[in-house]
Amino acid sequence: MKQTNIFKLIHMVEQVNNANIIRFTKAFPYPLGISPILVLNELHAKGPQKQAELAETLGYTKGAMTSIAEKLVKLDLAERLYDPTDRRIIRLQITAEGKEALTKAQAIGKEVFVQLFEVLDEAEITQYLLIQEKLVQGIQQKTAY
């Protein structure tokens, strides 16, 4: 592939991602980006966790995770649970409002993607799926080594 095509592809992927982020952010009623939403999703899926565990799982630094946790707690989307036998152990837990926010985020995200892909016909969607699957396989093969 020519280098100019690679850079054009990178630019187009960035444009699509940026446009989707802007559309999502405008529709989402909470002042959150994707990272806190991923934390809420992890807490919802796996239950209360230590911030260090969340940072490791999601690939964030401990400092970034501290900032994310603080934001979620201030918005009442998560709460800190103190271990009754060892107060040094603190876990983050999603709240009922956090579950509502996550549900809204998922619905808005789905709508953003539906609107993105509705410009494609069935043949284009099939081709796009094949390309995405090939890219995922390439990533998996490279990380397996």
Side-chain angles (χ1 to χ4, degrees), residues 57-105:
T57 300
L58 297 170
Y60 302 143
T61 65
K62 289 179 183 177
M65 191 61 238
T66 298
S67 176
I68 291 167
E70 190 61 35
K71 183 178 271 192
L72 291 173
V73 169
K74 281 184 181 176
L75 292 170
D76 294 323
L77 303 178
E79 61 188 354
R80 290 188 175 94
L81 299 177
Y82 295 90
D83 189 311
T85 61
D86 187 346
R87 300 248 330 141
R88 295 172 296 175
I89 299 174
I90 303 167
R91 289 182 174 79
L92 204 59
Q93 173 178 280
I94 191 168
T95 63
E97 189 169 343
K99 289 177 185 176
E100 277 184 44
L102 180 60
T103 299
K104 286 179 186 173

Side-chain angles (χ1 to χ4, degrees), residues 96-122:
E97 189 169 343
K99 289 177 185 176
E100 277 184 44
L102 180 60
T103 299
K104 286 179 186 173
Q106 291 167 334
I108 292 167
K110 182 179 178 180
E111 183 59 29
V112 166
F113 276 103
V114 165
Q115 290 174 7
L116 170 68
F117 292 122
E118 70 187 5
V119 300
L120 302 177
D121 62 33
E122 282 301 314

Side-chain angles (χ1 to χ4, degrees), residues 4-142:
T4 54
N5 285 343
I6 291 172
F7 289 123
K8 184 175 181 182
L9 180 60
I10 291 167
H11 180 68
M12 295 305 294
V13 168
E14 287 174 349
Q15 281 186 307
V16 169
N17 287 338
N18 290 343
N20 280 338
I21 290 167
I22 290 167
R23 289 179 60 220
F24 176 86
T25 303
K26 285 181 179 179
F28 192 56
Y30 296 88
L32 297 174
I34 190 66
S35 295
I37 294 167
L38 292 175
V39 170
L40 288 175
N41 189 61
E42 188 70 15
L43 293 172
H44 185 261
K46 296 182 182 172
Q49 296 178 56
K50 296 178 189 176
Q51 287 180 200
E53 294 169 342
L54 287 164
E56 174 79 21
T57 300
L58 297 170
Y60 302 143
T61 65
K62 289 179 183 177
M65 191 61 238
T66 298
S67 176
I68 291 167
E70 190 61 35
K71 183 178 271 192
L72 291 173
V73 169
K74 281 184 181 176
L75 292 170
D76 294 323
L77 303 178
E79 61 188 354
R80 290 188 175 94
L81 299 177
Y82 295 90
D83 189 311
T85 61
D86 187 346
R87 300 248 330 141
R88 295 172 296 175
I89 299 174
I90 303 167
R91 289 182 174 79
L92 204 59
Q93 173 178 280
I94 191 168
T95 63
E97 189 169 343
K99 289 177 185 176
E100 277 184 44
L102 180 60
T103 299
K104 286 179 186 173
Q106 291 167 334
I108 292 167
K110 182 179 178 180
E111 183 59 29
V112 166
F113 276 103
V114 165
Q115 290 174 7
L116 170 68
F117 292 122
E118 70 187 5
V119 300
L120 302 177
D121 62 33
E122 282 301 314
E124 291 167 327
I125 289 173
T126 300
Q127 183 64 31
Y128 185 75
L129 279 170
L130 291 171
I131 292 167
Q132 289 290 79
E133 288 168 356
K134 188 172 184 176
L135 290 171
V136 168
Q137 287 173 357
I139 290 168
Q140 290 171 342
Q141 288 172 353
K142 287 181 172 133

